[in-house]
Every structure is written in structure tokens, then in C-alpha cells.
């Protein structure tokens, strides 16, 4: 099991982690982490679901970073109002202690 990928998946799909990175001016570093995690997924086809989810989260961050920066208190609402088919609104299969 790729522990580094598991950690990246858990944090990069956590709206509160994403919000803090954006508020501290680390949006580019966040985008770099999405790219790193997506590349790690390509090493094993079993990670296609994670790769798809991270790609959608990366697009969400690209589209909503300025809104999250301006209205951080609504970051969670921005995430949960994505299309029901979006991985941004879906929880990971294995529950963890890290919030949505």
C-alpha cells in the first residue's frame, strides 16, 4: 500500500485543509501537490478512482480558490454544492478521522 498516496488523498480531499492552504497563500503549492498525487496514481491502475477524485478536486480548487479566499466561512458549502456526481461531494470509501 502506498502510504504517501493515502496521506495525499486524505488531505487533498479535505475542504478544511484546502481552505487553510488557500488562506495562507499556498494555492500554487496545493496545485503542485495535486499533480504529484495524480502522477503517483498513474503508477498503479488500481488507483484510477483516486486519480479521478483528485483531478476533480484540483479543478474545484482552480475554479473556487479566489472565492474561498474571499469567503472562507463558505468553503464547505462551496464543496458540497458541486454536482452530485462530482467526487468533490463524495466521501472516501473508507471513513477516516479527517473531515470532509
Amino acid at each position: 500500500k502506498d502510504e504517501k498516496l493515502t496521506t495525499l488523498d486524505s488531505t487533498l480531499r479535505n475542504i478544511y485543509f484546502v481552505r487553510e492552504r488557500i488562506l495562507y497563500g499556498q494555492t500554487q503549492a496545493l496545485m503542485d501537490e495535486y499533480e504529484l498525487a495524480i502522477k503517483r496514481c498513474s503508477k498503479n491502475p488500481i488507483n484510477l478512482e483516486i486519480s479521478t477524485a483528485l483531478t476533480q478536486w484540483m479543478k474545484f480548487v482552480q475554479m473556487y480558490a479566489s472565492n474561498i479566499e474571499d469567503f472562507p466561512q463558505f468553503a464547505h458549502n462551496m464543496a458540497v454544492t458541486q454536482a452530485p456526481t462530482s467526487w468533490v461531494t463524495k466521501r472516501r470509501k473508507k471513513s477516516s478521522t479527517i473531515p470532509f
Side-chain angles (χ1 to χ4, degrees):
K1 190 172 180 179
D2 187 341
E3 293 298 323
K4 176 81 171 168
L5 180 59
T6 301
T7 300
L8 286 168
D9 181 44
S10 295
T11 56
L12 295 174
R13 292 174 64 188
N14 177 327
I15 191 60
Y16 303 109
F17 173 82
V18 168
R19 179 186 66 189
E20 294 304 306
R21 295 296 298 271
I22 291 168
L23 291 177
Y24 285 100
Q26 299 173 351
T27 305
Q28 185 56 54
L30 182 61
M31 299 308 289
D32 293 344
E33 288 175 342
Y34 280 112
E35 289 181 18
L36 172 71
I38 292 165
K39 281 182 186 176
R40 280 187 90 95
C41 289
S42 68
K43 294 178 182 177
N44 189 340
I46 201 162
N47 296 325
L48 179 61
E49 186 176 288
I50 294 171
S51 177
T52 301
L54 291 172
T55 299
Q56 288 184 14
W57 269 90
M58 185 170 76
K59 289 177 182 178
F60 169 79
V61 170
Q62 287 172 329
M63 290 177 52
Y64 285 89
S66 62
N67 291 343
I68 291 171
E69 191 171 3
D70 291 341
F71 306 102
Q73 69 275 24
F74 298 118
H76 183 266
N77 292 349
M78 290 178 213
V80 297
T81 57
Q82 299 303 299
T85 56
S86 171
W87 280 99
V88 176
T89 61
K90 294 179 184 178
R91 294 193 185 275
R92 289 178 298 282
K93 283 187 179 180
K94 294 179 181 177
S95 62
S96 66
T97 58
I98 298 173
F100 174 70

